[in-house]
Amino acid sequence: MRRTALFAAAAALVAGVLAWPADAAPTAFVHPGVTVSRGQLDFTRSKVDAGAQPWKGAFDRMMASRYADLNRTPKPRAVVECGSYSNPNHGCTDEREDATAAYTQALAWYLTRDERHAKKAIELMDAWSAVIRDHTNSNAPLQTGWAGSSWPRAAEIIKHTYTGGWANSGRFATMLRTVYLPEIINGSHSNGNWELSMMEAAVGISVFLEDKASYDKAMAKFRTRTAAYVYLSSDGSLPKTVPSQNLDTRDKIVRYWQGQSTFVTGLTQETCRDLTHTGYGISAISHVAETSRIQGQDLYGTDVGERLRHALGFQAKYELGAAVPGWLCGGSLHLGLGPVTEVGHNALANRLGQAMTNTEALTERNRPAGSNNLFVAWETLTHGDNPG
């Protein structure tokens, strides 16, 4: 009876472990831990100091950009109003670029130890946290997601590596909690890149705030949306869907997939729209997977990694110039994937050893990757061939 009880207890323990979600919030958050870790930053710094490529070239490109300018003046607004395609644009570009600049300055601080860059990052973050109260108009959720993806990257580096002090870090945290998180945490029923970017921001903000409930909520939405964004043949004859969108017929799904009716592994919900928006979605998937890995939960070994690998390879093939078959998007694609391949390629090809021939070729062709001026910046520098 004692042996039976021991077996039962062991079985219950195993069942509990298996039932624990692999993407749940960690018991203790790792800092800095949004998209880039301390180990990755240290590796990058050592390569830049040694003048090694591609990191030194990537660093030089970053430092020559307007985002690294120590004379930059922040342009905060109380209300950022962004219509469709940022029209009207009342503070949209300013907010996104100030957030990217804060991240750039934080990276510059860590890699050079020049305190002027840390102080500039703080100046940018303080300027916005003192003023902003809301995002309005139709693009408000996406705008909040884009800016909200960059802010916590900057804040994580400054708060957890800069010893010079950040008096208003609490006010910045309040800004993220009250202005950004409520706008994004419940997701979107628009094209998939919206919700993926919004969940990227929500996950990053949750790490900075150490908010486990928001982390879990955002990660659950992220997993559902990723499965609905990138098709795998194992999904069946039709792509997976987000249940709340009520895409309950083949015709509805085909319309949502930009009129594409033939589904093949690696195709995304927006491939037939254009590869630029597709790149936004792919980038957000890679960023959340990377943050999750830093926090101790490896999504690269799940369907997220498989979808990311195939999405990168499928889009990269055509970005590199392969002929577009007639069954795909009517035989024509709008190219322009953007600087979005480094994080996924490094994680899947370098760390896990998965073959990614097309993605590797495109990644190397685009080095050193710059910024898309929305929410992606300097990923050859931070993630190119980085084992950290």
Side-chain angles (χ1 to χ4, degrees), residues 168-180:
N168 292 313
S169 64
R171 188 179 73 194
F172 185 82
T174 298
M175 176 192 80
L176 294 181
R177 183 179 295 109
T178 62
V179 178
Y180 286 80

Side-chain angles (χ1 to χ4, degrees), residues 9-219:
L13 178 61
V14 170
V17 170
L18 292 176
W20 185 259
D23 50 5
T27 302
F29 285 98
V30 175
H31 304 290
V34 176
T35 313
V36 62
S37 68
R38 188 184 296 268
Q40 289 170 313
L41 290 168
D42 287 341
F43 172 86
T44 297
R45 188 178 181 213
S46 71
K47 292 298 185 181
V48 171
D49 286 349
Q53 299 297 352
W55 305 277
K56 182 59 166 63
F59 172 78
D60 290 343
R61 182 175 183 183
M62 180 184 80
M63 295 304 290
S65 75
R66 64 184 183 275
Y67 299 120
D69 185 358
L70 286 167
N71 294 313
R72 184 181 187 89
T73 301
K75 298 178 180 178
R77 286 177 181 246
V79 177
V80 174
E81 182 183 3
C82 306
S84 181
Y85 293 93
S86 293
N87 182 22
N89 182 340
H90 298 317
C92 315
T93 301
D94 292 338
E95 180 189 30
R96 294 193 304 263
E97 296 197 354
D98 275 352
T100 297
Y103 176 54
T104 302
Q105 298 284 350
L107 285 175
W109 140 251
Y110 196 93
L111 299 177
T112 67
R113 290 303 194 266
D114 183 339
E115 284 195 78
R116 293 178 300 168
H117 290 293
K119 290 176 180 177
K120 179 58 68 172
I122 290 170
E123 178 189 342
L124 290 160
M125 292 187 286
D126 282 355
W128 280 88
S129 70
V131 172
I132 189 167
R133 296 293 176 264
D134 198 10
H135 297 86
T136 64
N137 215 318
S138 59
N139 259 33
L142 182 60
Q143 170 73 18
T144 310
W146 281 343
S149 293
S150 297
W151 287 130
R153 287 189 215 127
E156 280 281 297
I157 293 172
I158 295 301
K159 182 176 180 179
H160 298 285
T161 72
Y162 177 58
T163 58
W166 179 14
N168 292 313
S169 64
R171 188 179 73 194
F172 185 82
T174 298
M175 176 192 80
L176 294 181
R177 183 179 295 109
T178 62
V179 178
Y180 286 80
L181 199 55
E183 185 72 42
I184 56 179
I185 192 64
N186 292 316
S188 166
H189 290 159
S190 185
N191 282 299
N193 82 85
W194 278 51
E195 187 161 87
L196 289 166
S197 290
M198 291 162 69
M199 292 311 105
E200 177 188 346
V203 167
I205 288 169
S206 297
V207 170
F208 183 73
L209 298 178
E210 297 195 332
D211 183 338
K212 294 182 180 182
S214 292
Y215 185 98
D216 288 346
K217 183 174 181 177
M219 194 63 77

Side-chain angles (χ1 to χ4, degrees), residues 164-298:
W166 179 14
N168 292 313
S169 64
R171 188 179 73 194
F172 185 82
T174 298
M175 176 192 80
L176 294 181
R177 183 179 295 109
T178 62
V179 178
Y180 286 80
L181 199 55
E183 185 72 42
I184 56 179
I185 192 64
N186 292 316
S188 166
H189 290 159
S190 185
N191 282 299
N193 82 85
W194 278 51
E195 187 161 87
L196 289 166
S197 290
M198 291 162 69
M199 292 311 105
E200 177 188 346
V203 167
I205 288 169
S206 297
V207 170
F208 183 73
L209 298 178
E210 297 195 332
D211 183 338
K212 294 182 180 182
S214 292
Y215 185 98
D216 288 346
K217 183 174 181 177
M219 194 63 77
K221 284 188 174 295
F222 167 77
R223 292 295 299 269
T224 299
R225 176 60 71 173
T226 299
Y229 194 70
V230 182
Y231 176 80
L232 297 177
S233 60
S234 57
D235 293 338
S237 61
L238 292 172
K240 292 181 178 292
T241 63
V242 175
S244 59
Q245 288 190 267
N246 297 313
L247 299 173
D248 51 7
T249 68
R250 178 181 177 82
D251 286 347
K252 288 181 181 179
I253 291 172
V254 168
R255 282 196 298 273
Y256 187 60
W257 280 63
Q258 319 294 325
Q260 178 68 13
S261 59
T262 300
F263 302 103
V264 297
T265 292
L267 181 78
T268 81
Q269 182 256 313
E270 295 187 272
T271 298
C272 293
R273 180 186 186 187
D274 58 63
L275 295 198
T276 301
H277 286 88
T278 297
Y280 300 163
I282 290 173
S283 180
I285 292 170
S286 70
H287 292 163
V288 174
E290 193 71 356
T291 296
S292 179
R293 183 191 70 87
I294 294 166
Q295 297 305 323
Q297 291 85 24
D298 183 11

